[in-house]
Amino acid sequence: MSNDQPTPGQPPGDDDPFVKKPQEPPPPSDGQPPYGQPPYGSAPPPPPPPPPPNDPYGSGGGFGAPDPLAGMPPLAEPGKRILARLIDFLVISIPLYLLSLPWGGAIDVDGDGGDGFDGAYSGHQFLWSFIGLVVYVAYDTYFTQKDGRTLGKRLLKLRVAMLNDGRVPDTGAALMRAVVLWAPALLCCPCLWWLVNIVLMFTDKPYRQGLQDKAAKTVVVTAG
């Protein structure tokens, strides 16, 4: 009588039904590797390049986000920005001063024989500084949210853009930028404030942002 079990110590035969053999796919008839695998004898594809560094200014991208300025116009030159701001200042300050003349002028000089120092901080001067602040902020906000260009920037071919995508700032960003720019300059420390912003235009890396730009997450670029 035949025994179906293999003899101990003897390797099973090819026809042993109790041994499971791995099923290998037959080689393709045309000599090509299976679909999705590199050709025979070729090196494997190189690994993908490492991601670029993260945006250091928190413009909205995560790790590996591209440079926010990619595809945008070049950053504006600091000298043109200063000249554009001076034009805007004159556009507003000259009419304001003329309007204030019937009420003693926007700059209050002591009328009681003083040296003028106390008059510079009187209620009269504070009132006109506050009026000027409202006008400057409204002017800057309106033109910035309209197309990113005040009158001075239009003449110098500059514009304000959002850092993360280059679009024109919305009303909230434009208002934040205008308040941070003009409130300290008109109410407390004009000389120091303008000095800090001018220095930042030349030294801030990599986007040449003034304090108002950092607050609103904007940059100033050329408008072509």
Side-chain angles (χ1 to χ4, degrees), residues 170-182:
D170 58 21
T171 302
L175 178 61
M176 170 66 74
R177 191 176 190 276
V179 170
V180 173
L181 175 65
W182 290 109

Side-chain angles (χ1 to χ4, degrees), residues 97 103-122 124-125:
Y97 177 74
W103 291 273
I107 300 177
D108 184 17
V109 179
D110 249 339
D112 57 359
D115 59 5
F117 181 84
D118 294 334
Y121 295 92
S122 69
H124 178 88
Q125 173 63 15

Side-chain angles (χ1 to χ4, degrees), residues 40-62:
Y40 295 124
S42 64
N54 191 23
D55 173 21
Y57 277 76
S59 59

Side-chain angles (χ1 to χ4, degrees), residues 98-180:
L98 295 177
L99 288 174
S100 72
L101 289 178
W103 291 273
I107 300 177
D108 184 17
V109 179
D110 249 339
D112 57 359
D115 59 5
F117 181 84
D118 294 334
Y121 295 92
S122 69
H124 178 88
Q125 173 63 15
F126 182 82
L127 174 62
W128 279 103
S129 294
F130 181 77
I131 294 173
L133 173 63
V134 173
V135 175
Y136 279 109
V137 169
Y139 166 90
D140 225 293
T141 301
Y142 172 76
F143 284 106
T144 300
Q145 62 84 32
K146 180 183 178 183
D147 60 2
R149 297 182 293 176
T150 59
L151 298 180
K153 288 183 173 64
R154 189 180 299 274
L155 290 175
L156 273 297
K157 297 183 178 180
L158 310 176
R159 75 176 181 91
V160 180
M162 296 302 296
L163 174 62
N164 59 344
D165 56 11
R167 62 182 170 85
V168 173
D170 58 21
T171 302
L175 178 61
M176 170 66 74
R177 191 176 190 276
V179 170
V180 173

Side-chain angles (χ1 to χ4, degrees), residues 6-100:
T7 305
Q10 180 182 359
D14 292 340
D15 57 349
D16 187 348
F18 295 98
V19 177
K20 294 182 179 180
K21 300 179 181 179
Q23 298 294 323
E24 298 180 359
S29 58
D30 57 357
Q32 296 297 323
Y35 179 77
Q37 296 187 11
Y40 295 124
S42 64
N54 191 23
D55 173 21
Y57 277 76
S59 59
F63 180 81
D67 185 352
L69 294 182
M72 288 177 62
L75 292 171
E77 297 178 4
K80 287 187 175 182
R81 292 182 61 179
I82 295 171
L83 183 56
R85 184 59 63 193
L86 179 60
I87 293 173
D88 291 330
F89 179 78
L90 294 176
V91 164
I92 298 176
S93 62
I94 292 176
L96 270 181
Y97 177 74
L98 295 177
L99 288 174
S100 72

